[in-house]
């Protein structure tokens, strides 16, 4: 019996929280209500967005489960869970964000292809596992290596789920070897999420977590790890999750002209209010998240009520809780910041805008039009909600 396999239909899906908003049923794609994201710094597993491209794999025998390591490496081998667990365990608090987060808003400008998402294709978790750099060292590839003796420069991660985009083959992606072997990059082979064993939806028994990089590269349900000379040639690296300029359409697209998207840009969203929200006159509390990729922390979040002419600075609310004490000072460089501001609303309609600035002073773009792309990825434009005076619970 194999340890893990990808079923061909959806008859054995795990149960899910009924409060999730389902954007596509098969494969299962769902996000929590906005308000759930600002209720806790660490997103509970049951409310964490789920992004799949096929039926959820099944583990028959965890003892039989192994990950084969092949390709341009001196000693191809098999890694069992116990081998990975015997390495030092790290807890890395990292925000995972799908490149398609906020796609629905982008599709309102002009049609885009892809599953629609509101602002909740994102979550912040404490991932527990072995550092990939330690695993590769165990296999004879030293830390901070950019090429193996046999010419391996990329590390590919292959799953077992059957994806129609791969003609029924598995999901796969790769990262450069110099990132994989850099302990500071905190890339994990994770077996835990928020202190619990990973659940099936999120990659049980083992997934990759690449902090600061779009979620598409954090391959779930690992089956093999391959050392390659070139980056992975799979669909999701070469024909998807690339950022095109607004001028490119389905008739003139040349996928090979762009590199696969890796780091995500600075992002923020207001989560305590819907896009159009009735409020009572007076003080209204605004809460949301801000995050940036590549290990760039958040410098500040600005709020405007006059279309961006003037701004007030929001304050940072929840910090990592006691249960999740950071191991070193910079450990929240991969994690979001939750922010809060209180505004006074007196006009019948008020547009509230949030924009974040990261540690490299990168700022979110003002308009979605300027970042529109046919796949609807990386909508990081200023987040706007419209408040109307009226009856409300707020
Ligand atoms: N890994 C596999 N094997 N299959 C997938 O469909 N989806 C990717 C990534 N890893 C995917 C995968 C995408 S696009 C995202 S955004 C994240 O997983 C979502 O992870 P989550 O479902 O744990 O939130």
């Amino acid at each position: 019996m194999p340890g893990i396999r990808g079923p061909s239909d959806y008859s054995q899906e795990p149960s899910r929280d009924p409060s999730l908003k389902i954007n596509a049923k098969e494969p299962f794609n769902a996000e929590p209500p906005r308000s759930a994201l600002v209720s806790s710094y660490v997103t509970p597993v049951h409310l964490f967005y789920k992004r799949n491209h096929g039926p959820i794999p099944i583990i028959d025998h965890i003892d039989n489960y192994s990950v084969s390591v092949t390709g341009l490496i001196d000693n191809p081998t098999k890694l069992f869970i116990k081998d990975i667990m015997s390495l030092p365990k790290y807890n890395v608090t990292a925000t995972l964000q799908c490149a398609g987060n906020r796609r629905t808003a982008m599709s309102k400008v002009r049609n885009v292809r892809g599953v629609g998402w509101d602002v909740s294709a994102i979550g912040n978790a404490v991932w527990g596992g072995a550092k990939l750099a330690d695993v590769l060292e165990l296999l004879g590839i030293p830390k901070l290596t950019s090429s193996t003796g046999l010419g391996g420069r990329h590390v590919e991660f292959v799953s077992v789920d059957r994806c129609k985009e791969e003609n029924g083959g598995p999901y796969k992606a790769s990262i450069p070897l110099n990132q994989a072997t850099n302990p500071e990059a905190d890339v994990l082979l994770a077996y835990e999420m928020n202190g619990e064993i990973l659940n099936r939806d999120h990659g049980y028994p083992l997934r990759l977590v690449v902090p600061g990089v779009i979620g598409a590269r954090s391959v779930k349900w690992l089956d093999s790890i391959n050392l390659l000379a070139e980056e992975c040639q799979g669909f999701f690296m070469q024909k998807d999750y690339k950022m095109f300029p607004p001028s490119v359409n389905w008739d003139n697209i040349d996928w090979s002209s762009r590199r696969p998207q890796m780091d995500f840009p600075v992002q923020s969203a207001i989560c305590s209010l819907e896009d159009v929200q009735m409020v009572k006159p007076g003080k209204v509390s605004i809460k949301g998240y801000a995050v940036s990729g590549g290990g760039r922390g958040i410098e500040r979040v600005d709020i405007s009520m006059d279309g961006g002419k003037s701004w007030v600075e929001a304050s940072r609310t929840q910090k990592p809780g006691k249960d999740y004490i950071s191991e070193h000072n910079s450990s929240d460089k991969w994690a979001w910041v939750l922010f809060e501001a209180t505004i006074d609303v007196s006009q019948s309609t008020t547009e509230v805008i949030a924009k974040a600035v990261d540690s490299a002073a990168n700022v979110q773009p003002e308009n979605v039009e300027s970042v529109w792309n046919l796949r609807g990825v990386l909508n990081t434009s200023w987040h706007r909600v419209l408040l109307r005076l009226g009856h409300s619970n707020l």
Side-chain angles (χ1 to χ4, degrees), residues 49 51 53 98 159 161 171 202 207 215 218 220-221 241:
Y49 80 98
R51 175 64 176 120
H53 292 83
C98 184
S159 182
D161 49 348
Y171 191 95
H202 295 291
R207 80 176 296 169
S218 290
K220 304 192 270 189
W221 315 291
Y241 300 117

Side-chain angles (χ1 to χ4, degrees), residues 18-254:
S19 71
L20 291 175
K21 211 171 75 201
I22 299 174
N23 298 327
K25 211 163 163 237
E26 295 179 349
F28 189 77
N29 286 295
E31 63 187 309
R34 291 178 179 194
S35 56
L37 291 184
V38 284
S39 305
S40 59
Y41 176 74
V42 172
T43 312
V45 173
H46 65 284
L47 293 174
F48 206 93
Y49 80 98
K50 320 221 182 279
R51 175 64 176 120
N52 300 304
H53 292 83
I56 306 300
I58 292 173
I59 304 299
D60 291 311
H61 285 281
I62 188 67
D63 292 341
N64 292 353
Y65 171 75
S66 64
V67 178
S68 49
V69 187
T70 64
L72 302 169
I73 181 169
D74 285 326
N75 301 308
T77 187
K78 275 187 173 190
L79 284 170
F80 288 84
I81 277 281
K82 63 172 178 5
D83 304 324
I84 294 172
M85 286 188 168
S86 69
L87 291 167
K89 180 182 165 194
Y90 290 86
N91 283 321
V92 174
T93 306
T95 298
L96 200 66
Q97 176 175 216
C98 184
N101 192 25
R102 302 183 57 203
R103 178 180 281 136
T104 300
M106 187 174 276
S107 67
K108 285 180 183 153
V109 169
R110 222 178 335 145
N111 199 25
V112 300
R113 240 179 243 174
V115 176
W117 295 93
D118 187 45
V119 303
S120 306
I122 188 167
N124 193 43
V126 182
W127 306 98
K131 281 202 186 183
L132 181 59
D134 289 345
V135 175
L136 292 173
E137 189 174 56
L138 183 73
L139 303 176
I141 304 175
K143 301 256 161 74
L144 301 175
T145 299
S146 51
S147 178
T148 63
L150 296 172
R153 303 181 69 88
H154 297 265
V155 191
E156 179 185 62
F157 303 86
V158 185
S159 182
V160 289
D161 49 348
R162 303 184 190 199
C163 309
K164 71 170 184 326
E165 295 88 341
E166 289 281 13
N167 299 317
Y171 191 95
K172 52 187 175 183
S174 68
I175 61 171
L177 183 61
N178 60 7
Q179 183 177 13
T181 56
N182 179 2
E184 301 278 301
D186 287 334
V187 180
L188 292 185
L189 293 190
Y191 44 82
E192 279 183 13
M193 184 176 180
N194 298 352
E196 292 163 19
I197 293 189
L198 274 180
N199 74 11
R200 281 182 61 208
D201 262 327
H202 295 291
Y204 176 74
L206 196 65
R207 80 176 296 169
L208 186 69
V209 173
V210 192
V213 164
I214 61 164
R217 311 305 173 215
S218 290
V219 178
K220 304 192 270 189
W221 315 291
L222 289 178
D223 188 44
S224 67
I225 298 178
N226 307 317
L227 274 294
L228 304 177
E230 306 289 336
E231 68 194 11
C232 163
Q233 293 301 304
F235 180 92
F236 300 101
M237 286 287 282
Q238 301 302 336
K239 299 253 164 109
D240 201 355
Y241 300 117
K242 289 186 174 184
M243 175 68 153
F244 284 90
S247 58
V248 171
N249 58 49
W250 292 106
D251 298 325
N252 64 14
I253 189 164
D254 172 8

